[in-house]
């Protein structure tokens, strides 16, 4: 399999995602949260870029079974039902609901992946399941959401972790960035993922009292489900 | 010292270079070649973005002591005096000359660094000298040129190598990307730098019969000089 890793959405154009299979990774926290939400019975998660568009999209769908979710600066958005903490997305809250979500990094990466032939959502929570979902693919791009346009270590290590699993399954041709990610994962990707606490994203969440989110997002293979983007909605 | 690494010029805006000290790194081959050229007595190297601008700039300066240099697709540009191979930039060819240079990745990164307060040029060829040149700085950004808008492993490892040297000199606060680069360098940055041959850039040069360039650019500390960009010219 030909394996590429893109460390920031800013590189997505240069990486030529059109027509390819893309895995979007935002460990802290958007793809972790979406994996958790769908595993807990949410019907779909619709990523949108702005708060205004989230409100408009939700009202178009009809508010009855719709929840507004997301964050700005890691915090709940005023008037929204849920933030971006995976711990909030329990079956009690989300089962049967359609979630409209806007976050700083993850939803941007999901929108950047719009040109992909197939787009799946990955995190440590479903990492092994992602490698299984890619088993039939000849070519995969792991697209890291990054953080405010910059490299995020947790996404790179998660991409490298998935890449290493794929390399165990069969011969892999890796780009420079995929090789780099796999090397990072070989040192940092061993559970428990203590390095997460020291990443820029992990440290910010801990400062905001969201340390439990960091621990939660570092649980490898909590789920076997792999959300895919279909018609701009993340579904199982 | 606060240490940041930027893996691609695409991230330069997000990294907020304005007013900071930036080290531009394009191991294969632009900054290696510029370090070599200035060490061999070139008066200045002027990076420009296009072939047309190179020709215009050279004719404005006066062709007597000016050389047109650079590459497209790693190859010599028609009508130019020199390509982008450091082996061409001997004292015989370049001493006393002003070089106008356009390359695919490196000169783009140098132009992206235009907002910096101070911009120095780094490569393996002058890596230890770069750390010495930064000894008085509280804050440094190592800006990798990358390759066609993408992550390039050789630039990341060179940045990590410089970062590790800086960390040996004193307490360093590293961003996620700086930590990643330093980890990559701890594995790959040991001379001789065999990994260079297997990078995307190294492999392309070898395919073009330029394997000697790859070896040359992997020589650590060949020079003690650190070019700086002054008034848009790289000088010693």
């Amino acid at each position: 399999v030909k394996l590429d890793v893109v460390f920031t959405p800013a590189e997505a154009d240069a990486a030529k995602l059109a027509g390819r299979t893309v895995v979007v990774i935002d460990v802290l926290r958007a793809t972790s949260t979406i994996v958790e939400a769908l595993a807990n019975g949410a019907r779909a998660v619709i990523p949108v870029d702005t708060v205004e568009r989230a409100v408009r999209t939700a009202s178009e769908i009809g508010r009855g079974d719709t929840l507004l979710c997301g964050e700005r600066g890691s915090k709940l958005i005023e008037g929204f039902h849920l933030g971006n903490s995976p711990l909030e997305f329990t079956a009690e809250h989300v089962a049967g609901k359609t979630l409209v979500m806007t976050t700083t990094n993850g939803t941007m990466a999901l929108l950047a992946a719009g040109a992909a032939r197939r787009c799946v959502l990955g995190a440590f929570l479903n990492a092994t399941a992602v490698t299984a979902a890619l088993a039939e693919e000849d070519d995969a791009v792991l697209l890291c959401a990054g953080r405010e346009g910059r490299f995020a270590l947790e996404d790179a290590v998660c991409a490298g972790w998935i890449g290493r699993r794929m390399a165990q399954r069969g011969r892999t041709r890796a780009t420079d960035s995929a090789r780099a990610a796999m090397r990072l994962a070989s040192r940092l990707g061993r559970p428990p993922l203590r390095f997460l606490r020291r990443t820029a994203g992990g440290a910010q969440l801990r400062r905001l009292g969201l340390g439990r989110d960091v621990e939660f997002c570092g649980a490898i293979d909590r789920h076997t489900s792999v959300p895919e983007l279909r018609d701009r909605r993340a579904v199982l």
Side-chain angles (χ1 to χ4, degrees), chain A:
Chain A
V1 63
K2 198 177 145 221
L3 183 68
D4 194 5
V5 171
V6 180
F7 289 131
T8 59
E11 286 177 74
D13 281 348
K16 301 180 180 68
L17 305 183
R20 301 174 73 186
T21 295
V22 175
V23 181
V24 173
I25 298 170
D26 184 13
V27 170
L28 296 176
R29 298 169 288 173
T31 57
S32 297
T33 297
I34 295 172
V35 166
E36 181 69 17
L38 291 169
N40 287 338
R43 190 184 300 166
V45 181
I46 306 175
V48 299
D49 53 354
T50 64
V51 172
E52 294 67 33
R53 199 185 309 276
V55 173
R56 200 160 62 237
T57 302
S59 78
E60 282 166 12
I61 298 171
R63 284 179 174 263
D65 60 351
T66 307
L67 296 178
L68 284 165
C69 323
E71 53 76 27
R72 284 296 180 271
S74 308
K75 293 179 193 159
L76 183 66
I77 298 164
E78 200 184 320
F80 275 38
H81 303 95
L82 297 170
N84 187 29
S85 166
L87 297 165
E88 301 175 81
F89 290 71
T90 57
E92 189 185 5
H93 283 145
V94 304
K97 306 280 189 183
T98 297
L99 314 184
V100 180
M101 179 176 252
T102 183
T103 72
T104 317
N105 305 303
T107 55
M108 296 308 169
L110 286 165
L111 297 170
R117 181 177 62 75
R118 181 183 179 203
C119 175
V120 312
L121 278 67
F124 284 115
L125 295 183
N126 70 343
T128 296
V130 167
T131 66
L134 299 178
E136 304 296 314
E137 303 285 352
D138 294 327
D139 177 79
V141 184
L142 311 182
L143 172 61
C144 299
R147 187 163 181 272
E148 294 166 14
R150 301 293 315 278
F151 177 94
L153 189 57
E154 65 276 14
D155 296 339
V157 172
C158 185
W161 197 98
I162 292 169
R164 289 172 67 86
R165 273 287 160 105
M166 290 172 69
Q168 285 164 6
R169 281 170 174 266
R171 197 174 165 74
T172 305
R173 277 179 302 136
T175 59
D176 275 16
S177 46
R179 287 172 60 202
M182 289 193 280
R183 278 186 185 268
L184 293 171
S186 78
R187 297 283 292 273
L188 295 169
R190 296 195 197 109
L193 301 174
R194 295 195 200 284
F195 84 96
L196 272 183
R197 303 162 51 87
R198 290 185 56 222
T199 63
Q204 186 190 335
L205 290 171
R206 287 166 63 214
R207 277 195 302 275
L208 293 169
L210 296 166
R212 282 181 64 211
D213 282 16
V214 181
E215 303 302 317
F216 189 92
C217 295
I220 294 182
D221 292 341
R222 175 178 164 88
H223 296 297
T224 55
S225 52
V226 179
E228 300 214 11
L229 217 54
R230 292 216 174 100
D231 201 18
R232 295 184 203 164
R233 295 167 170 235
V235 294
L236 289 189

